[in-house]
């Protein structure tokens, strides 16, 4: 009998072999994507960088083209506006040059308010008959209230005030009208327009404008417009 029966038993028993399949990775491991080739990854990065550079170049080209088109349009528009402004300025300068000259009498006057009433004007100037008044307008003024009397003050350049034009025959008549208007008004040169088409479109003349604080009158107009109506 052997000294070590257990060892004998193990020696006599057949050797159990473990199949190699137990040491193989499972199917999931076999189907997994192999690690990416570093060279392939580098190519992809370069391709993405190239796409970004191409996009930036295309964007810059499109931006420059759009900027040039906008610049050319703005420059053309500015030239046209400058030409219009130059023409307008020359026209206004010529008109003002004519207005700066002392107008010889008779002089066309623009009247509004009570002076536009023929019977009252006849009494003020002491005329034998009622004077002939012609429909006219001035541009760049507005009418405000000085107490119960209308007052002509400067306004935005497109606002029209309609009234009547009268030909003052002498300087004496002009002084009488100035005295009647009191020191609250002063004679001012203006451009008088005739809308009827039977006379010149516009001539240089005179009118009476408010000589004191016009801002106060404008503030009063604004206050009245904001004041709630009586219920």
């Amino acid at each position: 009998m052997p000294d070590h029966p257990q060892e004998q038993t193990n020696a006599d028993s057949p050797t159990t072999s473990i199949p190699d399949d137990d040491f193989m990775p499972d199917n999931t491991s076999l189907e997994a994507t192999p690690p990416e080739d570093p060279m392939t990854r580098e190519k992809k990065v370069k391709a993405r960088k190239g796409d970004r550079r191409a996009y930036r170049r295309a964007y810059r080209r499109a931006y420059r083209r759009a900027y040039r088109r906008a610049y050319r349009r703005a420059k053309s528009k500015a030239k046209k506006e400058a030409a219009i402004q130059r023409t307008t300025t020359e026209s206004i300068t010529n008109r003002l040059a004519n207005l700066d000259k002392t107008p010889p009498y008779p002089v066309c006057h623009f009247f509004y308010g009570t002076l536009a009433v023929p019977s009252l004007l006849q009494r003020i100037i002491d005329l034998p008959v009622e004077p002939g008044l012609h429909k006219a307008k001035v541009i760049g003024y507005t009418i405000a209230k000085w107490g119960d009397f209308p007052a002509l003050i400067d306004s935005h350049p497109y606002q029209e005030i309609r009234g009547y034009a009268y030909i003052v025959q002498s300087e004496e008549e002009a002084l009488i009208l100035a005295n009647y208007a009191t020191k609250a008004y002063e004679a001012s040169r203006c451009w008088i327009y005739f809308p009827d088409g039977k006379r010149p479109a516009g001539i240089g003349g005179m009118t009476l404008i408010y000589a004191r604080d016009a801002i106060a009158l404008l503030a009063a107009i604004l206050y009245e417009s904001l004041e709630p109506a009586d219920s």
Side-chain angles (χ1 to χ4, degrees), residues 88-106:
T88 305
T89 303
E90 291 174 357
S91 177
I92 292 175
T93 302
N94 294 335
R95 290 183 180 183
L96 292 178
N98 293 331
L99 291 178
D100 287 340
K101 299 176 182 178
T102 303
Y105 288 92

Side-chain angles (χ1 to χ4, degrees), residues 69-83:
R69 286 196 296 267
Y71 176 78
R72 286 193 293 267
R73 287 196 297 267
K75 188 175 181 179
S76 176
K77 184 178 179 181
K79 285 183 178 179
K80 292 179 181 178
E81 291 180 352

Side-chain angles (χ1 to χ4, degrees), residues 193-207:
Y193 298 89
F194 297 96
D196 57 7
K198 298 179 182 179
R199 296 170 183 81
I203 61 173
M206 304 288 290
T207 189

Side-chain angles (χ1 to χ4, degrees), residues 144-161:
K145 280 291 186 179
W146 177 59
D148 294 331
F149 302 98
L152 193 68
I153 58 177
D154 290 333
S155 181
H156 62 76
Y158 303 107
Q159 184 162 348
E160 298 181 358
I161 296 298

Side-chain angles (χ1 to χ4, degrees), residues 20-87:
D20 295 338
D21 293 342
D22 294 342
F23 295 94
M24 293 295 292
D26 56 11
N27 294 336
T28 304
S29 300
L30 288 173
E31 294 175 358
T33 304
E36 186 177 12
D37 183 8
M39 295 301 295
T40 303
R41 184 165 57 250
E42 184 178 354
K43 291 179 181 178
K44 289 182 178 180
V45 171
K46 288 182 178 180
R48 285 195 294 269
K49 289 181 179 179
D51 292 342
R52 286 196 291 267
R53 284 194 294 268
Y55 174 79
R56 293 192 191 100
R57 285 195 296 268
Y59 178 81
R60 285 194 292 266
R61 285 196 297 268
Y63 179 82
R64 285 194 293 266
R65 285 196 296 267
Y67 177 82
R68 293 191 193 100
R69 286 196 296 267
Y71 176 78
R72 286 193 293 267
R73 287 196 297 267
K75 188 175 181 179
S76 176
K77 184 178 179 181
K79 285 183 178 179
K80 292 179 181 178
E81 291 180 352
I84 294 173
Q85 182 67 25
R86 185 167 55 253
T87 303

